Amino acid sequence: MDKTKDNLERLQSLVKTLTKIGVALSSEHNLPKLLQMILEQARKFTSADGGTLYLVSDDKKHLNFEIVQNDSLKIKMGGVSGNPINWKPLNLYINGKPNFAMVSCYVSLTGEIVNIPDVYYVDGFDFSGTRAFDKNTGYRSKSMLVVPMKDHEDEIIGVLQLINAIDIETGQVRAFTKDDEELISSLASQAAVSINNTRLIRDLENLFESFIQVIATAIDEKSPYTAGHIERVADLTMMIANKINQVDYPPFDRLKFSDDELKELRIAAWMHDIGKIVIPEYVVDKATKLETIYDRINEIRWRYEVLKRDIYLKKLMSEYKKENAKKISTEPDIESLNEELKIIERCNTGGEILNEDLKNKIRQIAKRKIKIDNKKVNLLNDDEVKNLLVCRGTLTDEERQIINNHVVVTIKMLNQLPYPKKLKRVPEIAGSHHEKLDGSGYPNGLKEAQLSVQARILALSDIFEALTARDRPYKPAKKLSEVMRIMEFMAKDRHIDPNLFELFKKEKIYLDYAKKYLYDWQIDKTDFE
């Protein structure tokens, strides 16, 4: 009666333990950790001295070593041990035929459990490799239990191989029992389902990230001048975040990003410019003030050629009609027209801030009359004058608003996606990359307390990439020293986070980025070295 009671209590204890392990396995989504947990629990249940966990390769032709452990030999390889496994995978087929000689391959191919009391005295399997291992290490492999890992569809996805069960009372190697077989078989089934679920989650996450990167690449490729911008910003963003996790000084000593938070930040960085998909190319790529679908400076050049032609013809006519000589003399000469065109071409580039003298000159030039289709019109129309009078850069106020609106579109698009809980902040992070700590940013004029550290990191990265970019048609590439001086002022004005910028300087993140992405001539000595 007591023995029956003991067996019942033992059975209940095992069921409870298996249930706990099942819960633990289902909640662990880090595959290396999960695999290590499975093997450790299997060894714990059977008091096994060592064990190996294999997974079937995607092409179903090999067994890959994933985790290898042995207490007596102090071996821990694979998983999260930090010790990689460099052993070659086992071939499930040799010359097209099933490899039944190796016990782990046999179990993987047949789905049968193999329980061997002593591997030195068994027929049907080749343990020459095991004997050679024992000879080199002084170990004595004896009892072995090999169990297939079958998922819910009865597909074998891996193999659990345990070696040398230890008798708790004597400390000697014992054979694996029938109870061990049933217990490990149950554990292996739970493990297989957990592995498949973890793989599915991982594959879906990889698919999601890959899809995001495809969209981001498409947005970048929409403009030959911004290709690579998003990738570079994402890279720099993660360089800063990873450095924060490494440093141990204030104010970052108490700030550490989890794996999920790093993933969330990386996705936000890749998605921060998704709203640019709605911006016309001629606005994104506006290299000159007169550019729309094409650069209208060519039209103006043509008009000046017409003016010069008309003047030339009038002067020819004046030789025959002396009475018009006085009128002809009031016309501008060719040299004056050439100078005017140079002024227009200079103002068209957007490379300098327009002063009032130049603005007045443009207005004066615009009033010059030219005959087109027998109608006298101004040399420059209202829209051309408006564009040429842009004080800084190449964009008009309306075009700048279109550019700025990409953040609003980004937020709108990202808010429509059904995120899992750990990615809920992607729209907030991505949508705040043009906000400033002093509240002067856009689109929402958020202030310091309203901006997460992740959003501030992304903002700094976006600004630094834009200032150092060597592929913008509307501005020349800047040297590193100039960029860092500009950002120093931005930090003082609280346009970017001063603490982040100090980290950026102190840890020389800017230099690591520069060596990776900038021209050699851009990397000059800064004030911080």
Side-chain angles (χ1 to χ4, degrees):
M1 183 72 179
D2 290 340
K3 188 175 181 181
T4 303
K5 185 179 179 182
D6 288 344
N7 288 338
L8 182 59
E9 289 178 351
R10 178 174 175 274
L11 182 61
Q12 288 175 338
S13 176
L14 288 174
V15 169
K16 287 181 180 178
T17 304
L18 275 174
T19 302
K20 287 181 181 178
I21 291 173
V23 172
L25 293 179
S26 63
S27 62
E28 181 56 69
H29 299 311
N30 181 305
L31 188 57
K33 285 184 181 178
L34 176 62
L35 298 178
Q36 186 165 305
M37 183 190 299
I38 291 166
L39 183 57
E40 287 173 349
Q41 291 299 330
R43 289 182 54 221
K44 184 178 179 181
F45 274 147
T46 59
S47 300
D49 186 43
T52 302
L53 189 151
Y54 306 89
L55 288 182
V56 178
S57 63
D58 292 339
D59 60 8
K60 313 295 184 186
K61 293 181 179 179
H62 304 93
L63 275 182
N64 296 322
F65 289 91
E66 298 293 339
I67 312 286
V68 178
Q69 296 177 350
N70 188 292
D71 284 348
S72 295
L73 296 175
K74 294 180 172 53
I75 293 174
K76 284 193 174 182
M77 301 167 64
V80 292
S81 67
N83 302 313
I85 303 174
N86 298 319
W87 301 343
K88 291 182 179 179
L90 304 180
N91 294 319
L92 290 173
Y93 299 91
I94 298 176
N95 296 324
K97 295 181 179 180
N99 181 10
F100 290 148
M102 302 194 75
V103 64
S104 53
C105 293
Y106 175 86
V107 170
S108 177
L109 291 166
T110 64
E112 298 177 12
I113 296 174
V114 174
N115 189 342
I116 304 171
D118 193 330
V119 297
Y120 279 29
Y121 303 101
V122 65
D123 296 326
F125 297 113
D126 180 7
F127 283 105
S128 58
T130 302
R131 287 176 177 270
F133 177 82
D134 288 355
K135 185 176 180 180
N136 290 332
T137 61
Y139 192 69
R140 171 61 164 93
S141 301
K142 192 173 182 183
S143 61
M144 184 177 285
L145 178 63
V146 191
V147 179
M149 299 171 66
K150 296 181 181 180
D151 64 13
H152 62 290
E153 294 180 341
D154 210 34
E155 182 179 351
I156 298 170
I157 67 166
V159 172
L160 267 176
Q161 180 176 292
L162 304 175
I163 193 164
N164 287 3
I166 305 298
D167 189 299
I168 297 175
E169 294 181 359
T170 66
Q172 299 298 309
V173 176
R174 64 169 176 82
F176 290 93
T177 65
K178 280 289 182 183
D179 285 345
D180 290 333
E181 287 185 27
E182 291 178 6
L183 193 59
I184 299 306
S185 180
S186 176
L187 175 63
S189 294
Q190 290 186 65
V193 173
S194 295
I195 290 170
N196 270 359
N197 287 341
T198 299
R199 280 174 161 175
L200 178 60
I201 292 170
R202 180 195 63 189
D203 291 345
L204 286 173
E205 288 179 345
N206 289 340
L207 176 62
F208 180 56
E209 285 206 46
S210 297
F211 182 64
I212 285 170
Q213 291 179 16
V214 166
I215 294 174
T217 302
I219 293 168
D220 267 354
E221 291 298 327
K222 182 179 178 183
S223 163
Y225 303 117
T226 59
H229 163 74
I230 295 175
E231 182 180 355
R232 292 192 292 268
V233 169
D235 191 13
L236 181 55
T237 296
M238 300 317 296
M239 287 169 67
I240 297 171
N242 288 326
K243 185 61 69 174
I244 288 174
N245 277 1
Q246 294 170 13
V247 301
D248 57 0
Y249 50 78
F252 303 108
D253 51 338
R254 291 181 292 177
L255 174 63
K256 296 294 176 258
F257 298 115
S258 67
D259 290 344
D260 286 342
E261 287 173 328
L262 288 174
K263 184 180 295 183
E264 181 181 58
L265 178 56
R266 183 172 62 250
I267 289 173
W270 275 99
M271 298 293 278
H272 80 279
D273 269 349
I274 190 173
K276 285 186 177 177
I277 201 166
V278 303
I279 299 177
E281 287 90 335
Y282 75 86
V283 176
V284 176
D285 295 347
K286 194 177 181 188
T288 64
K289 296 179 183 179
L290 290 171
E291 186 171 346
T292 52
I293 298 175
Y294 61 94
D295 193 342
R296 290 173 290 174
I297 190 67
N298 293 315
E299 285 188 13
I300 295 172
R301 287 176 182 142
W302 170 79
R303 292 173 203 164
Y304 269 97
E305 289 302 316
V306 171
L307 279 175
K308 287 189 279 187
R309 181 205 63 188
D310 290 347
I311 291 171
Y312 176 72
L313 290 175
K314 287 178 181 178
K315 285 184 177 180
L316 283 179
M317 291 294 294
S318 68
E319 294 180 6
Y320 297 99
K321 299 182 179 180
K322 297 297 182 181
E323 66 273 14
N324 289 329
K326 185 176 180 180
K327 182 179 178 182
I328 294 298
S329 66
T330 63
E331 298 284 353
D333 57 28
I334 302 299
E335 186 176 345
S336 298
L337 294 178
N338 287 338
E339 287 300 318
E340 287 182 1
L341 181 58
K342 286 179 181 178
I343 291 172
I344 294 173
E345 290 174 335
R346 174 182 163 191
C347 293
N348 187 39
T349 60
E352 61 179 286
I353 299 175
L354 239 61
N355 57 42
E356 282 302 315
D357 287 341
L358 277 174
K359 288 182 179 180
N360 290 331
K361 188 67 176 175
I362 290 295
R363 295 187 185 103
Q364 182 181 347
I365 291 172
K367 296 176 182 178
R368 185 178 296 287
K369 299 297 182 180
I370 182 173
K371 197 170 186 180
I372 300 176
D373 294 332
N374 292 320
K375 292 182 180 178
K376 281 194 174 185
V377 295
N378 287 345
L379 179 64
L380 303 177
N381 62 40
D382 292 343
D383 187 66
E384 289 165 346
V385 172
K386 178 181 177 181
N387 278 268
L388 286 170
L389 291 181
V390 168
C391 186
R392 186 191 298 268
T394 63
L395 299 175
T396 64
D397 291 341
E398 292 80 7
E399 289 166 340
R400 194 169 297 282
Q401 185 57 43
I402 291 172
I403 290 285
N404 292 352
N405 191 55
H406 84 273
V407 187
V408 176
V409 177
T410 291
I411 296 171
K412 184 177 180 180
M413 292 176 71
L414 294 183
N415 276 331
Q416 294 180 33
L417 295 176
Y419 299 96
K421 185 177 180 180
K422 59 187 179 182
L423 299 179
K424 284 290 186 183
R425 298 174 66 195
V426 165
E428 175 260 317
I429 297 169
S432 301
H433 71 277
H434 281 299
E435 300 287 356
K436 298 175 183 177
L437 270 64
D438 66 350
S440 64
Y442 64 88
N444 297 315
L446 301 180
K447 293 190 175 181
E448 183 173 352
Q450 299 170 288
L451 294 171
S452 65
V453 176
Q454 292 93 322
R456 301 180 196 190
I457 293 172
L458 182 54
L460 190 154
S461 300
D462 190 61
I463 290 169
F464 186 78
E465 194 286 331
L467 289 173
T468 57
R470 61 196 195 188
D471 52 10
R472 301 296 193 272
Y474 43 81
K475 69 175 185 64
K478 297 183 187 301
K479 289 187 177 182
L480 198 55
S481 59
E482 182 184 359
V483 171
M484 294 301 284
R485 281 196 298 272
I486 292 171
M487 295 192 72
E488 186 82 57
F489 284 117
M490 295 182 76
K492 288 178 181 177
D493 293 338
R494 304 194 71 75
H495 289 177
I496 58 176
D497 189 307
N499 291 326
L500 283 175
F501 185 62
E502 281 302 312
L503 174 85
F504 195 65
K505 293 187 298 182
K506 183 175 181 178
E507 299 299 328
K508 290 186 168 44
I509 301 172
Y510 67 91
L511 194 57
D512 293 336
Y513 176 90
K515 290 175 180 177
K516 190 172 182 179
Y517 292 112
L518 304 190
Y519 290 127
D520 289 341
W521 66 262
Q522 286 182 270
I523 308 174
D524 60 344
K525 189 173 180 62
T526 66
D527 297 334
F528 318 113
E529 297 176 46

